Amino acid sequence: MGREAEVVAELIPEFERETGIEVEIQQIPWTAAHEKLLTAFAAEALPDVCQLGNTWLPEFAALGVLEPLQPFVDASAVVDQDDFFPGIWDTSVIDGQLLGIPWYVDTRLLFYRKDILREAGVATPPRTWAEWEQAMAAVKAHVGPDRYAILMPVNEFEQLLSFGLQQDDPLLRGHDGRGNFQSPGFRRALAFYANMFEQGWAPKMSETQISNVWDEFFNGFYTFYLSGPWNIREFRKRQPAHLEGQWGTMPLPGPDGPGAGIAGGTSLVLFRDSPRQQQAWKLIEFLSRPDIQQRFHAMIGDLPPRRSTWEHPSLAQDELSHAFRDQLERVEATPKVLEWERIVQEMRIASERVVRGGQSQDQALRELDQRVDGILAKRRWMYDRDHAGAAAAEPTP
């Protein structure tokens, strides 16, 4: 999908020379990919091997079209589970079956202005929520009313989701059949998130209201920016000469220390009906090799999911990548339900009603759980149907 297809097209000739296997690449825009794959499923025309977003895996697993990959991994000298970051590997395990091999990781952490923190009297990057709040308060006091401590666009869900994943309470309950957003953990996450706006540390703005997120970062409109790895390249490209070395990256603070982050990204999958599974697996192995992953990262900036790839000098010696390497040890998978992308949008709407609309947090979370319960109604029905026999067979205490 997207830019990844162009980059893979540059790597494939080496695979073809090594194996004699010919590969045909179909490039699909991300905006059309989901619909085209479902259309291919209906027409029984799915490809041999495919890139799937991690949140799409549960849906295609439910369709029964993905080939379990543990036997391939067990026989592989290339794909070593222990070399992958555990949180990102877990995203490809659905109902106990390994259905994908992580290809690249997308997580979010903090870009920050070192010079502004220093001027505000913040000596060290914050590691806990309390330290982060103290730092934001100090920055806001230093920069004045027209500038801010942090940018967290209210039209994005990733920030609040990150804070939610840092809690002990799961985001869903009841065999993932109901929302758990009124839990103490998510209440704490929303309160922490909303407080940044209440204190005036973050502007109540969407990304479309910011003329240019990179320029405004260097203009000092905000000091912290919660974003992903692609922005390392963008910030480097756009930094003014006098600010070189005056900005950096840091892992996400958590409630009591460095916190969890989102285990986003994509995995490579095989489709069950493929008549060329062995050849397709060789392609997955090729794209999973640390040397190929390093080249892939150098070409596009996507984060490698294997620890050994991070030992390459281009990554190991890149100061701005260190925080991402650290964060990847603590990434957490989101709930593995096919309805998750709808649920996370409901979460975004709920948080925006709190921040922009003034709705109480209690009411927002109560209504969010109600809407999520409605989205998951069919999932509950299917679970009850599938487990009715087992429940009836249990002896009465």
Side-chain angles (χ1 to χ4, degrees), residues 351-394:
S351 64
E352 189 167 358
R353 285 174 175 165
V354 170
V355 170
R356 275 184 158 168
Q359 188 177 49
S360 75
Q361 294 178 32
D362 283 346
Q363 181 180 353
L365 292 179
R366 184 169 58 251
E367 293 178 359
L368 174 58
D369 270 343
Q370 290 171 353
R371 291 195 297 274
V372 171
D373 287 354
I375 291 172
L376 294 172
K378 184 175 181 180
R379 182 177 181 85
R380 292 196 301 276
W381 175 83
M382 292 178 65
Y383 181 88
D384 292 344
R385 179 199 63 185
D386 295 342
H387 292 80
E394 292 181 1

Side-chain angles (χ1 to χ4, degrees), residues 125-140:
R127 293 170 54 86
T128 67
W129 280 6
E131 292 173 357
W132 194 10
E133 287 182 323
Q134 291 170 3
M136 287 187 286
V139 166
K140 182 60 179 175

Side-chain angles (χ1 to χ4, degrees), residues 243-307:
L243 288 179
E244 184 173 359
Q246 296 301 313
W247 60 280
T249 57
M250 71 171 76
L252 273 181
D256 305 304
I262 300 170
T266 68
S267 294
L268 300 169
V269 302
L270 296 181
F271 287 107
R272 273 191 163 157
D273 290 342
S274 167
R276 292 171 287 271
Q277 286 189 353
Q278 293 301 322
Q279 295 96 319
W281 173 253
K282 288 182 184 297
L283 178 58
I284 290 179
E285 285 188 314
F286 173 80
L287 293 174
S288 299
R289 280 172 21 191
D291 62 315
I292 299 300
Q293 286 193 350
Q294 184 277 320
R295 286 165 54 192
F296 182 70
H297 166 77
M299 296 164 76
I300 196 172
D302 291 339
L303 299 181
R306 299 185 66 159
R307 293 185 177 102

